[in-house]
Amino acid sequence: MTSNTQTSFDPANPDKPYETIQVAVEGAVATITLDRPKALNALNSQVLAEIVPAAEALDADPAIGAIVITGSEKAFAAGADIKEMKDEVYPEVAEKRLFADWEKLAQLKTPLITAVSGFALGGGCEVAMLGDILLASESAKFGQPEITLGIIPGMGGTQRLTRAVGKYKAMDLILTGRMMDAEEAERSGLVSRVLPAEGFAEEVQKIAAKVASMSQVALAAATEMVDEAYRSTLEDGVEAERQQFWRLFDTADQKEGMAAFAEKRKPEWQHR
Ligand code: DAK
């Protein structure tokens, strides 16, 4: 994929336009915008079928240094599509592993930034939590209202929300189904930063461009190690970090980054 392109179609498959997402590339930042405005970006199977290959193609593109997933001003996503799934039955949902592929977005090597304006509810909140960085507009509203539908979060909400905000805030949100605003979300540790609603999209792009300007090998090591904190004991995690840290001294970018500092110039990364 080339820089500075705006596409509503899959570049690898231009005859088949996307219907539920928009993909744009500006410099080293790729932005995927959820685009089902009439349904407040509710996440149906078509969104999933379009967004995962799109994100994986961007992830494989060495020219892309950061991927942003965002929605509209009114809604990041108001959840999984209730109308589509209301007639689903067990055990078919388990056999077809309904919605399990959303987890593939958590496996991307390229830093993923989720940028939330308006509603991020249910599956929308869970997709927001797949981001390495979660940016919220002042207008953002987060919630896991599945309990009001007689179900529970099913795309990682009970696990990621609890790790982000702790047991008692997670239980409050999941058992009452209430929404929390951006200020409460930031106070609770769910979001990286809250940004003014005005100019939100532009500020998100600036933050993504900053991330994308870094060495991709260092970014990949950093995201992997922060995620490792959720998987391992402190002792094992610190050892894993040390191994990664030492390994980076075998990269061209470590040599370049430190030489550039000493020579008072900007580094030119080779991403290796
Ligand atoms: N699904 C389908 N359509 C939705 C929707 C949703 N989640 N949310 C909104 N819409 C549609 C509305 O039906 C309405 O469509 P029309 O009536 O115009 O045809 C349109 O979007 C505009 O919505 P409203 O008229 O309701 O707009 P308001 O501003 O009045 O209210 C709202 C906005 C976000 C408060 C409200 O729309 C709302 O409460 N939406 C539902 C929020 C919600 O309950 N979200 C959680 C969905 S459950 C699984 C894994 C995960 C999941 C399920 C299974 N497996 C592993 C099997 C995840 C489940 C969920 O996310």
Side-chain angles (χ1 to χ4, degrees), residues 32-36 40-43 51 68-79 113-121 123-129 134-135 140-142:
I32 300 174
T33 304
L34 298 165
D35 189 24
R36 293 191 71 213
L40 299 184
N41 291 334
L43 306 168
I51 199 170
V68 175
I69 296 181
T70 194
S72 69
E73 251 178 70
K74 175 152 189 195
F76 176 76
I113 296 171
T114 45
V116 175
S117 282
F119 299 112
L121 304 177
C125 186
E126 290 165 306
V127 171
M129 289 190 290
L134 200 174
L135 300 173
K141 289 188 174 58
F142 298 90

Side-chain angles (χ1 to χ4, degrees), residues 17-98:
Y18 293 131
E19 288 172 19
T20 65
I21 60 171
Q22 297 280 335
V23 179
V25 177
E26 183 70 41
V29 176
T31 302
I32 300 174
T33 304
L34 298 165
D35 189 24
R36 293 191 71 213
K38 288 186 185 147
L40 299 184
N41 291 334
L43 306 168
N44 64 7
S45 45
Q46 190 177 355
V47 177
L48 179 60
E50 292 184 353
I51 199 170
V52 168
E56 287 180 339
L58 294 165
D59 192 36
D61 185 340
I64 301 299
I67 299 171
V68 175
I69 296 181
T70 194
S72 69
E73 251 178 70
K74 175 152 189 195
F76 176 76
D81 192 314
I82 301 167
K83 294 167 190 168
E84 185 189 61
M85 71 182 163
K86 67 182 175 36
D87 298 324
E88 293 280 3
V89 292
Y90 184 81
E92 280 80 356
V93 281
E95 271 158 22
K96 66 181 175 189
R97 296 184 57 76
L98 185 67

Side-chain angles (χ1 to χ4, degrees), residues 173-254:
L173 291 162
I174 291 168
L175 301 189
T176 68
R178 77 174 175 90
M179 294 183 214
M180 69 174 167
D181 64 17
E183 194 200 333
E184 183 181 357
E186 185 178 40
R187 209 177 338 119
S188 309
L190 179 62
V191 306
S192 309
R193 299 190 213 176
V194 177
L195 303 168
E198 201 177 323
F200 177 66
E202 292 75 17
E203 197 55 32
V204 166
Q205 290 296 312
K206 277 190 206 157
I207 294 167
K210 174 97 180 159
V211 170
S213 74
M214 306 297 172
S215 156
Q216 289 175 15
V217 280
L219 287 170
T223 52
E224 193 185 330
M225 282 302 99
V226 174
D227 284 340
E228 183 67 17
Y230 286 112
R231 292 189 290 258
S232 66
T233 62
L234 180 63
E235 198 182 12
D236 289 348
V238 169
E239 180 55 28
E241 178 194 85
R242 209 177 276 129
Q243 296 292 333
Q244 284 274 8
F245 180 78
W246 287 333
R247 191 184 61 78
L248 289 171
F249 279 76
D250 193 30
T251 65
D253 284 351
Q254 175 271 326

Side-chain angles (χ1 to χ4, degrees), residues 133-155:
I133 294 177
L134 200 174
L135 300 173
S137 152
E138 285 162 335
S139 71
K141 289 188 174 58
F142 298 90
Q144 298 286 167
E146 289 88 345
I147 204 84
T148 67
L149 301 168
I151 56 169
I152 67 168
M155 283 156 52

